[in-house]
Amino acid sequence: MSTDTAPVPSSSTDLLFRPRQLRELVCGVPWLNDLDEAQLDALLKDSEVRTLKPREWLFRQDAPAKWLYVVISGAVRLVRSAGDGRLATIRCVERGGTLGELSMVSSAGVYLYSAEALRRTHVLTIRAAHCREIMDRQPACRAEFMSRLALELTERLEDMALLTQADAMARLVSYILRQLPAGRAREPRVVRLTIPKRWLAAQLAMTPETLSRLLARLREEGVINIDRQRLIVLDEQKLRDTMLSDD
C-alpha cells in the first residue's frame, strides 16, 4: 500500500472527511449497511483516507489485493489489460462506488483490473482482511455481497452483448437508460455526465467525435437536452425507440 497518509482537509472538502460523513459513506455500501455502531467504529479505525492525483494509478491488475476502496470524491476509471497489452475501459466509479470487490472472490487474491484516478480523487482505504472477517461473522452481509457481485456480473455481460452485437447508438442509449434513477417519474429525468467525454467514449467503444455526434442527434430529435454536466431525458419512450430502430 502507498505510504500516503490521510490528507489535511481543506475548507472545500472538510465535510467529506468528517467521521459522520465517512460513516454514511460506508453505510451506503449495500453489503456493509447493516453494521452496528461498534462494527462501524472498528472498520473506520482500521481505515484511512488516501488522495490521488489526476491520472495516478490506485492499483494495477494482478497486484496483490490487500485493500478495498470506497470513492469519497472524484472519479476512478477501471481498465483491464487484454493479452495483447491493450487497455479496455470497463466503467468509471464516482462517490460511493467501491473498488476491488471482485478480488474478494479471486482464488489468486489479486486485483482483476486496474484503477486510475481521472481527476484529483479521495478514497477510503479498507483492509480486505477486515471485510472478509465481517462476512465470515455475518451471513446476511455475505449474502448481500454475493448478490451485488451477481448484479455486477449481469451488467458486465450486458456490456459484452452490446459491444459485440449493437451499433454505437444502441450502446449510448443503453448506457443512458441504465444511468436513469429508479422509478418512472413523470418529469424529465437527469443523468449526470461527470466523467471526461473521452473516457465515456472509451467505455462505450467509440471515439469522442462519434459520441458527440450521437448526442447531438438525440438532442436535435428532441429526445434529450444537455446542460453542462446534466443530460436531461425529455422522452424516455422515444429514447428506447431510437435504440430499437437502430438495430
Side-chain angles (χ1 to χ4, degrees):
M1 177 184 172
S2 168
T3 55
D4 290 355
T5 56
V8 177
S10 65
S11 57
S12 61
T13 59
D14 181 50
L15 287 177
L16 297 176
F17 304 130
R18 290 181 178 176
R20 178 179 175 181
Q21 277 64 43
L22 292 179
R23 292 167 76 89
E24 291 177 352
L25 187 76
V26 171
C27 289
V29 178
W31 55 276
L32 291 175
N33 63 9
D34 285 334
L35 298 182
D36 60 30
E37 293 296 314
Q39 291 168 328
L40 272 174
D41 288 340
L43 184 68
L44 289 172
K45 184 177 181 181
D46 197 33
S47 305
E48 67 176 45
V49 173
R50 179 175 169 186
T51 303
L52 302 170
K53 300 186 294 291
R55 307 305 299 275
E56 179 178 352
W57 292 96
L58 177 60
F59 56 79
R60 296 277 192 170
Q61 182 177 325
D62 296 327
K66 298 181 180 179
W67 314 94
L68 272 70
Y69 304 90
V70 186
V71 178
I72 301 172
S73 65
V76 178
R77 178 175 73 118
L78 308 186
V79 296
R80 182 166 172 82
S81 176
D84 59 6
R86 290 182 296 177
L87 296 179
T89 298
I90 302 172
R91 61 187 174 92
C92 296
V93 180
E94 299 180 276
R95 176 171 171 77
T98 53
L99 309 168
E101 285 177 305
L102 288 177
S103 65
M104 299 280 286
V105 293
S106 167
S107 59
V110 299
Y111 293 115
L112 303 182
Y113 50 76
S114 301
E116 178 192 32
L118 295 180
R119 50 181 176 267
R120 182 175 173 83
T121 297
H122 299 94
V123 296
L124 183 66
T125 301
I126 304 174
R127 293 181 185 275
H130 196 148
C131 292
R132 291 191 184 95
E133 290 173 3
I134 290 173
M135 287 193 286
D136 287 343
R137 294 194 304 264
Q138 298 187 220
C141 173
R142 182 169 60 249
E144 180 61 28
F145 177 83
M146 298 307 296
S147 175
R148 301 302 298 185
L149 287 188
L151 179 60
E152 173 80 5
L153 175 60
T154 299
E155 291 180 350
R156 300 291 75 78
L157 289 174
E158 290 177 356
D159 289 342
M160 289 175 59
L162 281 171
L163 293 177
T164 57
Q165 299 178 16
D167 63 13
M169 178 60 85
R171 294 197 296 275
L172 172 59
V173 172
S174 177
Y175 172 82
I176 294 172
L177 291 173
R178 286 164 57 182
Q179 303 307 307
L180 289 175
R184 298 186 63 86
R186 292 184 180 180
E187 65 272 9
R189 301 166 74 188
V190 177
V191 173
R192 290 188 58 80
L193 301 175
T194 55
I195 62 175
K197 183 179 294 184
R198 66 182 182 277
W199 296 127
L200 176 57
Q203 183 176 339
L204 298 176
M206 64 183 71
T207 65
E209 293 76 17
T210 296
L211 176 61
S212 295
R213 176 173 56 80
L214 295 177
L215 288 172
R217 173 181 159 186
L218 291 174
R219 185 172 52 223
E220 291 167 2
E221 294 177 353
V223 179
I224 66 169
N225 193 16
I226 297 178
D227 179 13
R228 297 184 180 180
Q229 293 182 324
R230 299 170 70 248
L231 185 153
I232 305 165
V233 177
L234 303 174
D235 191 329
E236 183 177 339
Q237 186 56 54
K238 191 172 181 180
L239 183 63
R240 294 180 183 276
D241 293 343
T242 299
M243 180 168 62
L244 294 175
S245 64
D246 276 53
D247 283 347

